[in-house]
Amino acid sequence: MTEKTIKIPGPDHPITVEPANARVIVTVAGRVIADTNKALALREASYPAVYYIPRDDVDMALLERTDHATYCPYKGDCAYYSIAIGGERAVNAVWTYESPYAAVKEIARHLAFYPERVDSIDVQPVA
């Protein structure tokens, strides 16, 4: 078995995790899947911000764990969920780093959603 490469964020590949200071609402098939004022915004290199939502603010009863898994050298092992009510489009629509590396430890117990696999991710800035 080959050992996994671990990379540390830095000037050539920055990663920041901070409170989103927004209400984030995720919908699928007309139902609210997640609604939180406690999302974290992860900004990585030049990619768009990704909102990580605490599991306590996600309707976990609507999610089904899958066998799909990936690896990020900056964040660690990644697990996935599908959203049954979303049909084929929502397969592996949700991801989570259950034991993320120290540089992004804040995202543990949080979930993120692929925008193209849900109906909407509504981000409402808090005044």
Side-chain angles (χ1 to χ4, degrees):
M1 181 172 165
T2 56
E3 204 161 310
K4 294 178 179 174
T5 301
I6 299 174
K7 296 183 178 181
I8 306 297
D12 60 330
H13 193 97
I15 298 178
T16 60
V17 180
E18 57 195 14
N21 295 321
R23 181 177 180 197
V24 180
I25 304 166
V26 180
T27 59
V28 174
R31 291 198 43 195
V32 173
I33 301 295
D35 187 346
T36 189
N37 289 315
K38 298 177 228 149
L40 299 173
L42 184 143
R43 291 177 176 82
E44 179 174 1
S46 61
Y47 302 115
V50 173
Y51 296 96
Y52 281 82
I53 298 172
R55 286 178 184 237
D56 289 345
D57 294 335
V58 176
D59 188 345
M60 296 299 292
L62 297 175
L63 304 186
E64 297 174 355
R65 182 72 173 252
T66 72
D67 291 333
H68 186 64
T70 58
Y71 176 75
C72 171
Y74 292 98
K75 297 188 267 321
D77 291 311
C78 188
Y80 291 80
Y81 290 87
S82 293
I83 308 166
I85 63 171
E88 195 63 33
R89 180 177 136 215
V91 171
N92 295 319
V94 185
W95 75 91
T96 184
Y97 292 92
E98 293 170 336
S99 298
Y101 291 147
V104 294
K105 65 185 179 301
E106 300 91 345
I107 64 171
R109 304 235 1 105
H110 287 67
L111 302 168
F113 295 79
Y114 283 108
E116 67 276 8
R117 297 184 187 177
V118 298
D119 292 345
S120 67
I121 300 175
D122 184 23
V123 180
Q124 305 168 353
V126 176

